[in-house]
Amino acid sequence: MAQTSVELPPEHPGFVDAEYRRRRDEIAGASAGLEPGHGAAPPEVRYTDAEAALWRTVSSALAERHRQFACAEYLHATAALALPADEVPSLAATSRRLRELSGFRLEAVPGLVPTRTFYGALAERYFLSTQYLRHGSVPFYTPEPDIIHELVGHACMLASPLFADLYAAAGRASLRAHTPEALERFSKVFWFTIEFGVVDEHDEIRAYGAGLLSSYGELEAFRNAERREWNIDEMETRTYDITHFQPVLYCAGTLEQTAHLLHDYFDAFGQA
């Protein structure tokens, strides 16, 4: 693998861990230089035993919480994608399976990409995914998207044609956000729905957002959040803090009702 340098903020759990930083640089180097939209299969990463153990710890704990708190559509899609439980999944193999299930694919990136690049990829039905894992000292926390968040959260959602179509509609809407202010409004709705959305299912609140479903802590706390009725105007302007559990969640009713309203929003966004 080629070497590249990943910048970590001082508060990052791995900031003073030289070996972790070396490994992050190594994994980032595997996809460094690949332009989004290239279409090539994600490079293979040979994960260590410690990384595999971290994947097992987090994915098994999340799977238990999913059975309690995830919506049925997510559970069905997760079963269809069938991520391995005992080793870190291959991004390339996961991408091939996603193509079969929903027409989406995965492309590897070294780390965070510009907001417009990330959303624009969704319009073309591909998802930009990192390949590194969070620091092992805090297995149930990551300050940035890692492969656990990408796969357990987003890829499992993208295995559902219903969710995949919503992601694609969101991507198309983002292309019509011609000003920074418009993109910010759109991004906030994406946050409160695709990332932190909940639905009514069998008279219970269930999670469908990737940010909820990939976070053990959020799944422990989300039922205690203030639950508000669907309000696009409020979602477009409400601020949020990524470093704390979300105190406010929005619900439109069933998943079918939610999907209908979200499609209406994404399809109309930026058209006037």
Side-chain angles (χ1 to χ4, degrees):
M1 296 181 188
Q3 286 293 129
T4 191
S5 181
V6 175
E7 296 294 327
L8 299 180
E11 64 272 16
H12 192 285
F15 182 75
V16 298
D17 186 336
E19 175 56 26
Y20 179 77
R21 297 185 69 133
R22 183 204 65 78
R23 180 61 171 158
R24 281 286 299 269
D25 290 349
E26 182 181 39
I27 292 175
S31 55
L34 296 177
E35 291 294 328
H38 55 77
E44 294 289 356
V45 174
R46 293 176 63 87
Y47 292 99
T48 66
D49 291 343
E51 288 166 339
L54 178 59
W55 170 267
R56 287 194 296 271
T57 295
V58 180
S59 64
S60 64
L62 286 172
E64 179 182 347
R65 286 291 177 262
H66 293 159
R67 288 189 286 271
Q68 294 177 280
F69 303 130
C71 71
E73 182 70 15
Y74 173 85
L75 293 174
H76 177 77
T78 299
L81 186 57
L83 295 174
D86 58 345
E87 62 184 8
V88 185
S90 158
L91 213 62
T94 306
S95 183
R96 290 193 294 271
R97 180 59 177 153
L98 279 180
R99 278 185 179 272
E100 296 171 355
L101 293 170
S102 69
F104 253 84
R105 73 178 192 274
L106 303 176
E107 288 193 6
V109 291
L112 292 174
V113 299
T115 301
R116 287 190 180 277
T117 302
F118 173 78
Y119 289 135
L122 303 179
E124 301 298 326
R125 299 185 80 89
Y126 67 94
F127 183 90
L128 299 174
S129 173
T130 57
Q131 290 184 285
Y132 63 85
L133 283 92
R134 62 198 61 185
H135 196 264
S137 65
V138 280
F140 297 111
Y141 169 75
T142 179
E144 57 195 333
D146 71 339
I147 195 170
I148 297 174
H149 170 75
E150 312 283 41
L151 296 189
V152 176
H154 292 291
C156 284
M157 287 181 70
L158 290 170
S160 156
L162 182 151
F163 287 132
D165 287 347
L166 281 173
Y167 274 74
R172 292 191 297 271
S174 77
L175 300 178
R176 299 191 297 273
H178 298 305
T179 66
E181 294 76 17
L183 186 63
E184 183 178 8
R185 291 197 309 273
F186 163 83
S187 295
K188 287 179 176 180
V189 174
F190 191 94
W191 176 266
F192 286 112
T193 57
I194 302 299
E195 291 284 2
F196 284 90
V198 294
V199 293
D200 282 323
E201 195 168 273
H202 306 303
D203 297 321
E204 293 182 336
I205 185 172
R206 297 279 178 160
Y208 75 87
L212 288 173
L213 292 164
S214 62
S215 170
Y216 188 91
E218 288 283 5
L219 286 173
E220 286 284 285
F222 84 105
R223 290 175 301 167
N224 297 321
E226 179 186 350
R227 182 178 169 189
R228 296 189 181 182
E229 293 185 1
W230 187 264
N231 187 324
I232 285 291
D233 291 338
E234 188 173 313
M235 281 187 269
E236 281 191 326
T237 56
R238 183 176 182 82
T239 59
Y240 56 83
D241 185 345
I242 65 173
T243 65
H244 293 84
F245 295 144
Q246 297 306 297
V248 173
L249 302 174
Y250 293 89
C251 182
T254 66
L255 179 59
E256 291 73 19
Q257 291 170 319
T258 300
H260 177 74
L261 289 170
L262 262 183
H263 272 296
D264 284 350
Y265 172 77
F266 291 144
D267 292 346
F269 186 84
Q271 298 283 17

